[in-house]
Each structure stands twice: as structure tokens, then as C-alpha cells.
Amino acid sequence: MGLIQAEFQNLGVTQSDYTTFVEAIPFQIYAILAIIMIPLVAFTGKDFSQMGKAEKLAEKGAQSWEEEKEAEEETDGTYSVKNARPSMVLLPILVVFVTLFTTLAPLGFPFQKVDGNEFRVALTMGYFFGALVLMILIRFYRVQVFKRTFKVYVDGMKGMTDVAVTLVLAWSLGNMISGLGTADFIVNAMKAVNFSPVLIPAAIFLFGTFVSFSTGSSWGTFAIMMPLAIPMAHAFGISYAIAVGAVLSGGLFGDHCSPISDTTILSSTGAQCDLVGHVKTQLPYAVVNGVIAFAAYLFAGLTGSPAAVVLAVAALVLVIFVWNKKEKDRA
């Protein structure tokens, strides 16, 4: 919202950054496809490509997985991961939402625009209280000793330092892009070659994918792309919501495909599998969603309609079932 607001101020746009962010939700097509694909594949069992092969190997016992490591600092046998409860997941999330709404409700949320800084303060408080409740539950259910729990919390904050540094550098680059008039240069170059406005959302999505894949940072991509995408949308008369959605989707698509992305590395580490193996098995899923999203942005650029995401979801379901059937026929 802060990135959107900054560009609106530069362009003299009076539209609310909060309203634009909400309107952009149906146009975050890649993100929506990724979320839908998870239960679609999980409940139907229709894995395909490299993941399908890995699943077959695992069923045959040909895949060896690293054993789960024991906790390093246990005071006695009463502390165990087996003591974990579902409430340790549900209650902290509930605390986050309760804190968020309790803090913002007096300001009119969700029916009135809330200042971006107020929103970020509320989120920070919610995350802090949620983490605090989780630490208490971990100690109460004797899952882990307090010393190790606190160490995990501090290590998590250390990990966020890298994200903060990346964002600061990306914001600096974004400000430099704005100061140099890069967006105006690109717009004039596109107009000189009679570039069709219909292609703008898809072009934003592709360029965002390239930046995110190269840097391994979706957040950094947002900071770099917003100063380019919003002025382009302004100049070509494209909906700001579509442009913002294309930036967010492109950043996530490239991040999912990038082997240097922190989320890719953490996912492979958490699943205790090889990084290269994880990238190979994840890539086909991401590419399928990315190709469908690209086509949907062409449709959105042509019509400006949120119906693009409906068509994208229908295409995803069709592709998964057809692809899976073809692989079964080959087998």
C-alpha cells in the first residue's frame, strides 16, 4: 500500500491506495492459481511431471529421506514434539486477527480507508502477540524448553533482517528509477512503436517475473516494479488494480521458480529434500500457473474484467486433468 501510495502522489492520483489494493485481489491471478492448485493436486492425487515421477519412486521405496532430527536442548523426556496440539496453530492465528481488528476497528476498518502506517503498526502488534501466545503454548504443552523456543524466535528475527536489507535496497532502486524518469522513457518508447495497451498487463507480469527470478526476492520486485507499472497504467489508461495485480503475480511467479529465492531454500530445508530436486519438482507446477496467468492477463488487458481469474481457474483444472490423463496413457 505504501508503494502504491507513493506512486499515486507522484502522479497526482486521488484514488485510495487501500481501495486499489483490495480491487487488485481478483487480479492476483498467479497467487490465486497457486493457492487453488494445492488442494486440487493434494485431494485428487494428480501429481505430474517430475513430482509425479518422484511420487512413484517414493511409493516403491526408492527414495531415501533424512530422518527427523531430535531437539538439541531437552531437559528431560517430558519435552517432545509429540505433545503439540492443533491449538498451537489456530490460537496464535486467532490472536493475530483479533488484535488486527481490535486495533483498526475504531478507525473504521474494514469499511473505511485506514492509513498505511496504522495498518502496519496493527499487523506488527498482531504478529508479536501471536508469537508470544505460541511461545506460551509451546512451554505449556511441554513441546520445547523456553530457552530453545526463544532462540528460534530470535533466529526468525535474524532471518527477517535479510528481507529488510533487501527491501531497503529495492526501495532505493525504486526511488532512483522514479528520479531518472525510467517509467516515462519506457512509456514514450512503447508509444513510439505503437505498443498495444492490451499487452501492458501481460508485459508487466513478464518483466516482474524476470526481476524476481533474477533477484530471488518477490518483495524486492514489488518495490522495483511499482514505480514502473503504475505510471505505465496511468499513461495507457489501464486499470491500476490490474497493473498492481500483475506486479504481485509476476513477483511471486519468479520467486517460486528461482533457485536462489529464500522461500525455495526454506521449503526444501523444511521438507528435508535436496534443493535442486525441489526446484525441479516445483518448476512444472509454477510454469503451468505462470502460462495460464499470462494468458489471463492478456484477457484482462483486453476486457478489464475480473472474469479473467475465473477463466484461469477453469483452465488450471482442465490442464491438470488432461496432463495427468496423458501421462497415465504413456505409462
Side-chain angles (χ1 to χ4, degrees):
M1 286 170 57
L3 293 169
I4 297 170
Q5 184 181 32
E7 295 311 310
F8 279 178
Q9 290 176 347
N10 291 337
L11 297 170
V13 176
T14 58
Q15 184 172 323
S16 164
D17 56 317
Y18 174 75
T19 301
T20 303
F21 181 77
V22 173
E23 291 176 349
I25 292 175
F27 295 104
Q28 294 185 39
I29 298 174
Y30 176 82
I32 293 172
L33 291 178
I35 292 173
I36 290 176
M37 178 178 265
I38 295 169
L40 184 62
V41 172
F43 288 117
T44 61
K46 295 187 179 299
D47 290 294
F48 56 87
S49 190
Q50 295 296 319
M51 182 62 79
K53 295 177 182 178
E55 287 282 353
K56 291 176 183 177
L57 288 173
E59 289 174 0
K60 295 177 181 178
Q63 202 90 342
S64 61
W65 305 98
E66 184 180 350
E67 295 293 331
E68 185 179 351
K69 295 181 180 179
E70 296 292 332
E72 297 176 358
E73 300 178 13
E74 295 183 350
T75 55
D76 55 59
T78 61
Y79 286 90
S80 172
V81 177
K82 296 180 181 179
N83 295 334
R85 300 288 189 276
S87 60
M88 293 172 57
V89 176
L90 300 176
L91 191 57
I93 294 176
L94 179 62
V95 169
V96 171
F97 279 102
V98 169
T99 303
L100 186 65
F101 280 92
T102 302
T103 307
L104 297 179
L107 302 177
F109 178 82
F111 304 105
Q112 297 181 14
K113 177 181 179 294
V114 178
D115 182 72
N117 289 330
E118 296 287 348
F119 207 94
R120 285 184 282 274
V121 168
L123 280 173
T124 303
M125 291 174 59
Y127 293 150
F128 174 73
F129 288 132
L132 189 62
V133 168
L134 177 56
M135 293 170 69
I136 293 173
L137 290 174
I138 289 175
R139 181 65 180 83
F140 178 78
Y141 288 119
R142 305 182 74 82
V143 174
Q144 193 58 264
V145 295
F146 179 78
K147 181 180 179 181
R148 183 170 176 79
T149 303
F150 188 73
K151 182 179 182 300
V152 170
Y153 180 73
V154 173
D155 288 344
M157 289 193 290
K158 289 179 181 177
M160 290 302 296
T161 303
D162 294 336
V163 176
V165 171
T166 301
L167 284 175
V168 169
L169 295 175
W171 285 330
S172 301
L173 181 59
N175 288 334
M176 185 176 70
I177 288 173
S178 297
L180 291 174
T182 306
D184 294 334
F185 173 79
I186 294 175
V187 168
N188 292 332
M190 286 181 167
K191 287 183 176 179
V193 297
N194 295 321
F195 194 83
S196 174
V198 171
L199 302 177
I200 294 296
I204 292 172
F205 173 73
L206 278 184
F207 191 54
T209 298
F210 173 76
V211 173
S212 182
F213 182 83
S214 303
T215 61
S217 171
S218 55
W219 291 9
T221 300
F222 304 155
I224 294 171
M225 286 297 300
M226 287 298 183
L228 294 174
I230 293 179
M232 288 173 63
H234 182 78
F236 284 93
I238 301 296
S239 167
Y240 297 123
I242 298 178
V244 170
V247 169
L248 298 178
S249 285
L252 291 175
F253 178 35
D255 183 71
H256 282 176
C257 296
S258 177
I260 61 174
S261 164
D262 55 347
T263 52
T264 301
I265 295 170
L266 288 174
S267 295
S268 62
T269 303
Q272 297 181 0
C273 68
D274 178 65
L275 174 62
V276 176
H278 172 58
V279 173
K280 286 182 179 179
T281 52
Q282 174 181 258
L283 198 57
Y285 294 92
V287 170
V288 166
N289 284 337
V291 171
I292 295 174
F294 177 77
Y297 282 118
L298 290 176
F299 180 83
L302 180 65
T303 64
S305 171
V309 71
V310 178
L311 295 177
V313 171
L316 173 62
V317 174
L318 181 63
V319 166
I320 287 183
F321 278 86
V322 170
W323 193 334
N324 186 266
K325 185 178 185 302
K326 285 184 176 180
E327 292 203 348
K328 282 185 177 180
D329 292 340
R330 289 174 188 173

